[in-house]
Amino acid sequence: MKLQTLIVDDNKLNHFILDFYLRENGSFSHPISLYSGSEVIEKLKETSTINENVLIFLDINMPQINGWQVLDFIDQFYLRDNISVIVLTSESSPQIRERAFAYTSVINFIEKPINKEKILEILP
């Protein structure tokens, strides 16, 4: 089964860092960069098939459609079982973590700022 990797963040520096270390790891050769919640929702609607798993690195704090709204969409999406999410946020309170892990698609949590150690810690 294919794995599609999406980086969803409104900060280009976070894209650069994640893309670099994911490619360096070797398991993620072509992460797709998206810069808003609406872009990831459209991408999921367009490209998801039953034979494709999707791993999303998802920023919570984005303008317009934020990460929480994207997670709400994924919870209602018919292919939700094929989607795994790693939450990216600068807010690391126990309440935020608890809220994130209440979504079945959330498999991990990275507190910003993002660095190599944090990324390698969560990768298989």
Side-chain angles (χ1 to χ4, degrees):
M1 193 173 279
K2 272 178 51 177
L3 176 66
Q4 182 178 44
T5 305
L6 307 177
I7 300 170
V8 185
D9 197 316
D10 57 331
N11 183 316
K12 289 183 180 185
L13 178 60
N14 289 333
H15 281 267
F16 176 80
I17 294 167
L18 274 165
D19 187 81
F20 180 82
Y21 289 122
L22 291 174
R23 288 176 191 262
E24 183 180 71
N25 177 270
S27 302
F28 307 90
S29 60
H30 299 289
I32 297 169
S33 289
L34 303 169
Y35 296 91
S36 71
S38 58
E39 283 184 288
V40 71
I41 288 171
E42 287 307 309
K43 184 74 172 166
L44 290 172
K45 287 178 181 177
E46 290 171 8
T47 63
S48 288
T49 67
I50 203 69
N51 296 322
E52 186 171 58
N53 285 324
V54 180
L55 175 62
I56 303 172
F57 289 85
L58 179 65
D59 181 25
I60 290 297
N61 296 312
M62 294 182 291
Q64 298 168 340
I65 297 178
N66 64 37
W68 300 120
Q69 292 165 303
V70 172
L71 288 168
D72 288 339
F73 169 81
I74 291 169
D75 262 8
Q76 302 302 313
F77 194 50
Y78 72 103
L79 293 173
R80 67 185 163 271
D81 293 340
N82 295 40
I83 300 171
S84 298
V85 177
I86 297 172
V87 168
L88 309 171
T89 185
S90 55
E91 300 177 47
S92 65
S93 72
Q95 296 84 359
I96 297 294
R97 283 173 129 8
E98 185 177 321
R99 182 177 177 191
F101 284 112
Y103 290 92
T104 57
S105 58
V106 173
I107 60 168
N108 222 318
F109 190 98
I110 297 178
E111 182 182 344
K112 293 180 182 179
I114 299 168
N115 61 40
K116 181 178 184 176
E117 291 74 28
K118 289 178 183 178
I119 295 168
L120 295 178
E121 188 177 291
I122 63 158
L123 294 179

